[in-house]
Amino acid sequence: MHELDHYIYPHRVLHWLVAGVVLLSLASGLSLGFLGYERAVSLLGNALTNVIYTSHKTLGVALLLLMTLRIITRLAFVIPDHDPPLNAFERIVSTSVHHLLYLALIVMPIIGWTATASGGFPVEFFHWHLPGLIGRHEELSEQLFMWHGRLGWIILGLVVLHVSGALFHWKIKRDNVMKRMSLFD
Ligand code: HEM
Ligand code: HEM
């Protein structure tokens, strides 16, 4: 047993930064996927459409960096004990959702990156163009974009489960789970 009742501060900051970036990536990605390039241009104009594409790619690459740091702060520092302890159901469901989120949030930007590069489009991070890492391959790009879209819905589902669990602990069970990730208390 140790006295720690919070994740270490940098890990908490990364949690909330990742949460913001994930929600913005999902909102921009799903809007682009729903409209498609042609309809986005006719509805929003060329300049705004390009800004949304560049912003979406920038958010995705930033997420890859943030998740790398987050894995380090998760593995290198002690995780607080649950006080009171979680029951077996809560422990199994929350741990599974957390691990699936980690996995999905590493795989998703890699798929986005390779789908973009193999389609012959620029991989942008702010105004920089990053190396594509793989050559042009139209069919592969189509497949990867299809998986990018599917994984987007899976991530949205995991986030809904996760946030429902957090709200349940915070507002209904009123235990200390929210405090573990809080920046303020
Ligand atoms: C939207 C994207 C979000 C993602 C991807 C995400 C991801 C995660 C992950 C992977 C963990 C496990 C702890 C770790 O290893 O870092 C965690 C913990 C936690 N999250 Fe989130 N989270 C998100 C949003 C939220 C929101 C909106 C809330 C609150 C309403 C929240 C509340 C919490 C709490 C309280 C914990 C601590 C749970 C515990 O240790 O038992 N998260 N989050
Ligand atoms: C975790 C980070 C990311 C999330 C959550 C995310 C999410 C999404 C979602 C949900 C879509 C809609 C797909 C569809 O319905 O067809 C999408 C589209 C797209 N994503 Fe991502 N994405 C991420 C990272 C990236 C990265 C790193 C890149 C490239 C560097 C990228 C490039 C694209 C492009 C170009 C589209 C538009 C595809 C189209 O026009 O159909 N994404 N993204």
Side-chain angles (χ1 to χ4, degrees):
M1 272 305 240
H2 42 78
E3 295 303 310
L4 197 67
D5 58 358
H6 288 82
Y7 286 89
I8 58 152
Y9 196 72
H11 192 75
R12 280 180 269 150
V13 171
L14 285 169
H15 172 270
W16 294 108
L17 279 176
V18 166
V21 171
V22 166
L23 293 179
L24 290 173
S25 308
L26 284 175
S28 54
L30 289 174
S31 311
L32 291 175
F34 176 69
L35 287 174
Y37 185 74
E38 310 291 324
R39 237 170 3 127
V41 170
S42 66
L43 207 69
L44 307 168
N46 228 327
L48 185 56
T49 302
N50 286 334
V51 168
I52 300 175
Y53 270 90
T54 306
S55 309
H56 178 77
K57 296 179 201 177
T58 300
L59 287 165
V61 173
L63 194 72
L64 194 56
L65 296 172
L66 291 172
M67 286 305 293
T68 309
L69 290 176
R70 184 168 175 176
I71 289 172
I72 296 171
T73 57
R74 170 71 197 239
L75 294 178
F77 297 94
V78 179
I79 300 171
D81 291 324
H82 278 282
D83 182 24
L86 299 182
N87 64 39
F89 173 77
E90 292 169 333
R91 210 174 46 241
I92 292 167
V93 173
S94 65
T95 312
S96 313
V97 171
H98 294 164
H99 284 120
L100 287 171
L101 278 169
Y102 270 99
L103 183 67
L105 294 179
I106 289 290
V107 170
M108 187 69 166
I110 295 173
I111 295 185
W113 187 314
T114 45
T116 302
S118 56
F121 305 110
V123 177
E124 294 161 294
F125 184 59
F126 295 99
H127 65 278
W128 295 290
H129 283 199
L130 304 181
L133 302 179
I134 59 171
R136 202 169 170 156
H137 191 315
E138 298 292 338
E139 268 167 49
L140 177 66
S141 173
E142 269 174 38
Q143 287 288 318
L144 289 169
F145 270 128
M146 186 188 77
W147 283 105
H148 196 65
R150 287 183 181 170
L151 195 50
W153 289 107
I154 293 174
I155 292 174
L156 187 62
L158 289 170
V159 168
V160 169
L161 278 176
H162 175 69
V163 175
S164 313
L167 292 178
F168 169 74
H169 283 283
W170 187 24
K171 293 293 177 195
I172 296 174
K173 238 184 139 191
R174 293 174 188 273
D175 54 18
N176 291 324
V177 169
M178 197 64 188
K179 190 175 169 194
R180 291 153 60 80
M181 213 34 116
S182 168
L183 294 175
F184 306 112
D185 67 346

